[in-house]
Amino acid sequence: MKKIVERISLWQLYIVIVCFQIGSAALVGIGNQAKQDAWIAVLLATFIGIGTILFYVFLLSRAPGKNLFEIFDYCFGKYIGKALTFVYVIFFFYTASRVLRDFCELLVSTIFEETPIELIAITMMLMIVYMLQHGLEVLGRTSEVFFPYVVTFIVLIGLGILFSGGIEFDRLLPILPEGFTPIMKAIFPDLLTFPFGEVIAFALIIPYVGKEKHVKKVSALAVLTSGLLLTYGSVVQITTLGADLKERSSFPLLSASREISLLNFIERVDLVVVFFVMFGIIVKVSVFFYGGLKGLEHIMNRPYRTLTFSMGTIIAFFSIIISGSFVEHLEEGLKITTLYFHLPTQFFIPIAMLPILIWKTRKKQQKKETSS
């Protein structure tokens, strides 16, 4: 199979990581176990997230030019490597289905109340299929167009609630009433795996970035930016709704935005929230979908673009049948998915692979030095 060379710039990588991290995390709310200290948990988890993506970049740097699946083959051999790749294909497609369901539930419960959820899922996936059919570069260029609007809307929503008088900073108090225990429970494993551990998907994208020597700094900066935006969003949600209402709300940022009322004219900005969440969701589903497609390409030795429509149809279908209700969907994501999917694929397997990769690359380097 002749490989098509794909490239995205450092700036596009930065934008895609930021939008990816914000994605569904801004939609469903995070760090609820820490109550009013959720913003502290998100902020601390951000620095762990920076360490996480630097770890993935380090793995890739030990085998230049190889993506995650090719490193599996290099470390474990063809058959075990293909088996591990298949595990990640299931993980990426499953997670893409879950994220797509998040956004479908948002639209059905807020704007398109009479529209079948199946129609929304199909429409979203057709858009993503069309984008990836034209390559990774199109995702990067599309992200460049919408990124300023996403960041601007997030900031303006908080300012709009503040000027509307809906924010009460007393709701952040008391700080650390039970010490760091609730914060640690919020970080491990929930925030560790969602959204920060999900950057494992970029182990399929980073090898195609130009100017590789700057990838480490750009990736770390992107995670820091997204973490600060999520921390800001968490502060806005807590000071507007209170910790208890934030935890009970299915879409806390959307609930908080309804407090905006300026000049008896600017009200009901739900569409603004849906817009920037929609783009974050599109990026997130696209990245996971791309990761799964690259896995199938590696296993089947067939260009991934020939599989976009068929696999997109399957993801749209599974996003509907994945759970019977949104409550069940969230419960499954917080308990089952974290333990049985996120932790093994994001941390256990890469960490187990690290010593093998270091040993093999050192051995190869020593052979080169001996022969020279």
Side-chain angles (χ1 to χ4, degrees), residues 96-109:
S97 300
R98 288 194 56 81
V99 177
L100 180 61
R101 177 63 178 267
D102 288 337
F103 183 67
C104 291
E105 288 287 351
L106 171 66
L107 289 185
V108 167
S109 63

Side-chain angles (χ1 to χ4, degrees), residues 105-113 251 254 258 268 270 274:
E105 288 287 351
L106 171 66
L107 289 185
V108 167
S109 63
T110 57
I111 300 176
F112 302 113
E113 297 180 5
F251 308 112
L254 189 69
R258 287 172 178 157
R268 298 289 299 177
D270 305 35
V274 171

Side-chain angles (χ1 to χ4, degrees), residues 58-64 66 71 74-75 353-369:
F58 174 75
L59 283 178
L60 295 171
S61 69
R62 298 295 299 186
K66 296 182 185 294
I71 293 176
Y74 178 69
C75 289
M353 183 176 67
L354 178 61
I356 301 172
L357 180 60
I358 292 175
W359 177 71
K360 283 210 164 193
T361 50
R362 272 187 186 171
K363 191 175 178 182
K364 187 177 179 181
Q365 188 176 3
Q366 286 172 355
K367 282 184 178 180
K368 282 185 178 180
E369 290 174 355

Side-chain angles (χ1 to χ4, degrees), residues 246-291:
K246 173 182 178 290
E247 187 175 3
R248 292 198 302 270
S249 176
S250 298
F251 308 112
L253 188 61
L254 189 69
S255 300
S257 69
R258 287 172 178 157
E259 298 296 319
I260 295 178
S261 179
L262 297 172
L263 306 173
N264 294 320
F265 174 68
I266 302 176
E267 296 180 340
R268 298 289 299 177
V269 295
D270 305 35
L271 284 176
V272 175
V273 176
V274 171
F275 171 79
F276 84 75
V277 167
M278 176 183 71
F279 183 68
I281 294 288
I282 288 173
V283 170
K284 195 161 192 173
V285 174
S286 298
V287 171
F288 279 125
F289 186 37
Y290 177 79

Side-chain angles (χ1 to χ4, degrees), residues 155-167 259-263:
V155 175
L156 288 181
I157 284 170
L159 293 176
I161 299 171
L162 176 64
F163 293 135
S164 300
I167 286 181
E259 298 296 319
I260 295 178
S261 179
L262 297 172
L263 306 173

Side-chain angles (χ1 to χ4, degrees), residues 188-222:
F188 301 102
D190 292 347
L191 286 172
L192 181 67
T193 57
F194 172 72
F196 297 105
E198 291 179 326
V199 291
I200 182 68
F202 284 89
L204 282 307
I205 293 178
I206 288 175
Y208 305 111
V209 178
K211 299 181 181 177
E212 295 177 8
K213 63 180 180 179
H214 300 298
V215 166
K216 186 184 296 184
K217 291 180 182 178
V218 170
S219 301
L221 183 61

Side-chain angles (χ1 to χ4, degrees), residues 47 80 84 103 187 207 251 295 308 312 317:
F47 294 100
I80 296 178
L84 287 174
F103 183 67
I187 294 174
F251 308 112
T308 52
F317 174 71

